[in-house]
Amino acid sequence: FFNIQRCNADGADLEKLLAENEEVVLELASNITKAYADRCRLSAADQCEYKNYEECISKLPNETCADGSTPSECSNCVVSDPSVSNVRVPKSVLLQPGGASTDVIQDICLSRIMDDFAANDARVYYGSIEGSFRIRPATISQTCNEYDPRARPWFVAASSGPKDVVIILDISGSMLGARFDRAVEALEQVINSLTVADYFAVVPFSSDTSKFSELNAGNFMQQATTSNKEKVLEGVRS
């Protein structure tokens, strides 16, 4: 999934901007299709596997700081480089037996194509079903190998569309302790990935299913707004 954002257009330029972006996206899609068909050439992987900027350890060629200071003066500001992109890969992918798979490496290689289509005034990012993430301007992360695009609402919305989600949560005595904590963790990940286009409900079960009924909009599914999600998660945690 690609997202291109430009922040320097007013309402009068919107139609022109949309047409320009559509043209760019169609050209980008055509080039990605061609590159994907050629993905099995070893030379293509050899040329890019070790030539990507990483989110934490790489030195970017033209580093700038969001507050206008130089990188050497910067303490808590965001360091970025509008001339290049960089890559993030979550621990869950890196810690697989044998490290990142060939599919992950191929995705990283293919996503380099977007650098040729991104102007300096555009913010572009790409998320792969394999877990890799590329962003331009390249941005140094505050925490390393934590970001997984597949759990982000923008990725889920693009890959699955609007949906109704019913989550069944076991709250019986057999779930006490670590098992329940892990179940709540999983529930939080699912709920946090939902967007306002989605509707959801949590249905706990044990001897009855009434414990969270007041959080489910009167036993009906509710829109996955930020406030509704926070309300349900607070009720589940308590």
Side-chain angles (χ1 to χ4, degrees), residues 14-26:
L14 181 58
E15 189 172 336
K16 180 181 177 182
L17 177 61
L18 290 175
E20 290 175 352
N21 279 353
E22 182 179 8
E23 185 178 342
V24 170
V25 169
L26 290 175

Side-chain angles (χ1 to χ4, degrees), residues 216-229:
N216 287 330
N219 290 325
F220 292 98
M221 301 184 74
Q222 58 188 320
Q223 190 175 15
T225 62
T226 299
S227 59
N228 283 341
K229 291 190 291 184

Side-chain angles (χ1 to χ4, degrees), residues 12 19 48-49 72 107 113 116-117 133 153 155 171 188 222 236 238:
C48 80
E49 182 175 356
S72 59
D107 284 343
I113 295 173
D116 298 330
F117 293 84
F133 177 77
F155 186 94
I171 60 171
E188 288 178 349
Q222 58 188 320
V236 171
S238 62

Side-chain angles (χ1 to χ4, degrees), residues 146-208:
E146 294 291 338
Y147 189 87
D148 190 334
R150 298 169 295 183
R152 304 303 298 171
W154 58 265
F155 186 94
V156 176
S159 59
S160 65
K163 54 196 165 297
D164 295 335
V165 178
V166 178
I167 304 169
I168 300 175
L169 181 65
D170 186 350
I171 60 171
S172 64
S174 63
M175 291 292 290
L176 291 177
R179 294 181 67 184
F180 185 74
D181 293 339
R182 287 195 294 270
V184 171
E185 247 179 67
L187 180 143
E188 288 178 349
Q189 289 183 4
V190 172
I191 290 180
N192 285 329
S193 73
L194 301 177
T195 72
V196 291
D198 304 319
Y199 283 76
F200 77 107
V202 176
V203 179
F205 74 92
S206 180
S207 58
D208 59 60

Side-chain angles (χ1 to χ4, degrees), residues 75-97:
S75 56
N76 296 318
C77 61
V78 176
V79 177
S80 62
D81 185 343
S83 68
V84 295
S85 64
N86 64 349
V87 175
R88 305 175 188 177
V89 182
K91 291 177 184 176
S92 59
V93 172
L94 293 175
L95 296 180
Q96 292 178 2

Side-chain angles (χ1 to χ4, degrees), residues 1-3 5 52-55 85-90 93 104-105 107-109 111-112 114 123-141 145-152 154-155:
F1 173 76
F2 280 89
N3 186 297
Q5 298 174 338
N52 295 278
Y53 295 104
E54 197 267 346
E55 63 174 317
S85 64
N86 64 349
V87 175
R88 305 175 188 177
V89 182
V93 172
V104 174
I105 295 171
D107 284 343
I108 291 173
C109 293
S111 65
R112 288 187 61 175
M114 79 182 198
R123 175 183 172 86
V124 186
Y125 51 89
Y126 163 81
S128 160
I129 192 64
E130 301 294 337
S132 67
F133 177 77
R134 183 183 290 277
I135 185 170
R136 180 172 176 175
T139 305
I140 299 300
S141 300
N145 306 117
E146 294 291 338
Y147 189 87
D148 190 334
R150 298 169 295 183
R152 304 303 298 171
W154 58 265
F155 186 94

